[in-house]
């Protein structure tokens, strides 16, 4: 069953899935690459500070091999010799310790990046399951780890054996020389051995880093259903989003219809578009759109406007331009000031004519730039 699930996991892991894995402490790591960098840093520090390390090592040998008769019978000799040798040993190893510590801290940034997870610190009793433990022993990852261990044993052991055989004569001759030459020979041998160890381990670590990255991506692959479920959880259920959008539109339309009775005029197209305008010269810089709609909504605006005796003015190009350029609650653009001013003047004259029984004024036909009508302009 597990194999079947892995076969279905053909999709690359999403950013959310990888982020969830990081929160659990799951990031690609290569112990071999980390070990290679630490060893290389330590060897580099030893080779670069060889003269200083030689001086400290020589001092440690001198303390152990040279002392006076008075010192021999003194009660303070052991304590003095140990404390002095300890200080020299610490000074000898400080460069190596510092270099390896920096390498150990810097290595995670090369593969997976720095990551701190609280969830990884929590106890997981599922790891104590013996059946799961036996299954892991025969997994692909266990086979790879076993192969790497055998390769490391073969290559690193073989390389160090060849080095010792090559330096066999020099090592044997060390006892015939001075203390200083023996110390120098020892440090040189340790440096060469560490350098070869770091190079071989670095090659294995580089291959392991590539494998760890590949295995990490393989283990976090997703099925198509998991991608759909995650998309639904992240972006929300499409049906629910549609319902929310519908409710929001209904509420917006309801508020718009409540504001409509305050309008001074409704510019229509005559049936496809309707835009209601309100202008208060004491409170507004320019007329403002209080309602707008197309088709069914436009028909509703016309009905409400008629019920509240708001003038309906047919000006198709202006209605299309207002609908295309202005949102609810916004002032009309400056390019439509003159056209709207003509309509408002007509409404004012119409009101006076109705009250006084005067002749009905001529309906203006303001010129509108076709570009202002956007995709709603009529074809020429």
């Amino acid at each position: 069953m597990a194999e079947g699930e892995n076969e279905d996991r053909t999709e690359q892991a999403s950013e959310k899935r990888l982020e969830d894995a990081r929160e659990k402490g799951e990031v690609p790591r290569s112990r071999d690459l980390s070990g290679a960098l630490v060893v290389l840093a330590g060897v580099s520090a030893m080779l670069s500070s060889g003269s200083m390390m030689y001086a400290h090592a020589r001092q440690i040998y001198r303390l152990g091999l040279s002392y006076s008769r008075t010192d021999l019978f003194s009660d303070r000799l052991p304590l003095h010799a140990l404390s002095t040798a300890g200080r020299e040993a610490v000074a000898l190893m400080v460069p190596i310790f510092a270099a390896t510590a920096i390498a150990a801290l810097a290595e995670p940034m090369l593969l997976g990046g720095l990551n701190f997870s609280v969830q990884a610190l929590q106890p997981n009793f599922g790891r104590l399951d013996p059946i799961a433990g036996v299954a892991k022993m025969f997994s692909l990852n266990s086979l790879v780890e076993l192969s790497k261990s055998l390769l490391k044993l073969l290559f690193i052991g073989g390389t160090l054996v060849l080095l010792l055989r090559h330096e066999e004569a020099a090592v044997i001759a060390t006892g015939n020389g001075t203390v200083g030459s023996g110390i120098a020979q020892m440090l040189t041998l340790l440096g060469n051995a560490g350098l070869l160890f770091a190079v071989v381990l670095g090659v294995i670590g580089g291959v392991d880093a590539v494998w760890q990255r590949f295995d990490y991506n393989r283990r976090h692959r997703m099925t198509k259903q998991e991608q759909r479920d995650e998309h639904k959880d992240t972006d929300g259920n499409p049906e629910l989003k549609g319902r929310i959008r519908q409710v929001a539109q209904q509420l917006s339309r309801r508020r718009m219809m409540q504001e409509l009775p305050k309008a001074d005029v409704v510019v229509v197209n005559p049936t496809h578009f309707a835009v209601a305008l309100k202008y208060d010269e004491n409170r507004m810089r320019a007329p403002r759109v209080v309602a707008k709609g197309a088709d069914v909504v436009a028909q509703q605006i016309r009905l409400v406007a008629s019920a509240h005796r708001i003038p309906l003015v047919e000006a198709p190009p202006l209605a299309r331009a207002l609908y295309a350029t202005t949102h609810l609650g916004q002032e009309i653009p400056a390019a439509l000031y003159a056209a709207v001013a003509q309509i408002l003047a007509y409404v004012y004259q119409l009101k006076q004519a109705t009250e006084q029984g005067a002749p009905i004024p001529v309906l203006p036909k303001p010129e509108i730039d076709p570009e202002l009508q956007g995709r709603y302009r009529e074809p020429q």
Side-chain angles (χ1 to χ4, degrees), residues 13 60 69 135 150 274:
I60 293 174
R69 179 180 176 85
L150 294 176

Side-chain angles (χ1 to χ4, degrees), residues 21-153:
R22 289 183 65 87
E23 292 179 358
K24 297 177 182 178
E26 299 178 12
V27 291
R29 289 284 186 262
S30 173
R31 290 192 296 269
D32 294 329
L33 180 62
S34 177
L37 292 177
V38 170
V39 173
L40 183 60
V43 172
S44 302
M46 185 172 64
L47 294 178
S48 61
S49 59
S51 58
M52 182 185 68
M53 295 182 67
Y54 170 79
H56 291 296
R58 183 182 177 87
Q59 182 65 13
I60 293 174
Y61 272 99
R62 189 188 66 80
L63 290 171
L65 298 177
S66 64
Y67 43 83
S68 64
R69 179 180 176 85
T70 304
D71 293 335
L72 181 62
F73 292 98
S74 173
D75 295 337
R76 298 183 304 168
L77 177 61
L79 181 60
H80 173 72
L82 288 175
S83 61
T84 306
R87 289 194 298 270
E88 294 294 336
V90 170
L92 173 70
M93 300 302 296
V94 161
I96 298 178
F97 287 158
T100 54
I102 294 174
L105 294 175
E107 183 275 333
M109 292 187 292
L110 298 179
L111 187 66
L114 295 175
N115 186 52
F116 177 78
S117 173
V118 177
Q119 296 186 28
L121 300 177
Q122 298 176 355
N124 184 3
F125 296 102
R127 296 175 182 174
L128 302 178
D129 186 358
I131 299 178
V134 173
K136 289 182 180 179
M137 291 176 59
F138 299 97
S139 65
L140 176 61
N141 190 56
S142 298
L143 180 61
V144 172
E145 293 296 328
L146 177 61
S147 302
K148 288 192 301 179
S149 299
L150 294 176
L151 285 175
K152 285 188 286 185
L153 178 63

Side-chain angles (χ1 to χ4, degrees), residues 145-338:
E145 293 296 328
L146 177 61
S147 302
K148 288 192 301 179
S149 299
L150 294 176
L151 285 175
K152 285 188 286 185
L153 178 63
L154 176 63
F155 286 104
I156 296 175
T159 301
L160 294 180
V161 167
L162 292 176
L163 176 64
L164 290 176
R165 285 190 174 183
H166 182 268
E167 300 289 341
E168 182 180 1
V171 172
I172 294 175
T174 301
N176 299 326
T178 63
V179 173
S181 63
I183 294 174
Q185 183 65 28
M186 177 194 67
L187 292 176
T188 301
L189 180 61
L190 287 175
N192 292 336
L195 188 60
L196 283 175
F197 180 78
V199 170
V200 176
L201 191 59
V203 173
I204 298 175
V207 176
D208 181 61
V210 175
W211 161 255
Q212 294 294 342
R213 172 63 72 176
F214 167 78
D215 185 59
Y216 180 81
N217 292 332
R218 178 185 64 84
R219 287 186 287 107
H220 289 87
R221 285 175 183 170
M222 307 173 66
T223 64
K224 294 183 180 298
Q225 183 60 42
E226 287 176 337
Q227 280 193 335
R228 287 192 290 267
D229 293 342
E230 181 182 285
H231 181 74
K232 185 181 294 184
D233 292 339
T234 302
D235 297 337
N237 191 315
E239 297 179 358
L240 180 60
K241 290 178 62 177
R243 177 58 180 165
I244 293 175
R245 185 164 51 248
Q246 181 181 3
V247 171
Q249 291 175 351
Q250 291 176 352
L251 292 176
S252 176
R253 189 177 304 168
R254 187 178 302 170
R255 289 193 297 268
M256 182 179 70
M257 292 303 178
Q258 291 175 350
E259 293 292 323
L260 180 56
K262 303 177 183 178
D264 295 318
V265 63
V266 175
V267 184
V268 297
N269 186 32
T271 58
H272 291 297
F273 297 98
V275 181
L277 300 176
K278 171 69 177 177
Y279 180 59
D280 186 345
E281 60 180 355
N282 297 322
R283 301 174 56 185
M284 301 179 184
R285 295 179 303 175
R288 182 173 298 170
V289 173
V290 296
K292 58 178 287 189
D295 298 328
V296 176
V297 179
Q299 184 65 25
Q300 292 177 349
I301 293 175
R302 290 171 59 91
L303 292 175
V304 175
S306 299
H308 290 81
R309 297 183 179 181
I310 299 173
L312 300 176
V313 178
E314 292 189 11
L318 178 58
R320 291 192 294 267
L322 288 170
Y323 187 87
T325 59
T326 314
H327 296 290
L328 281 176
Q330 284 188 342
E331 295 179 351
I332 64 172
L336 297 178
Y337 280 0

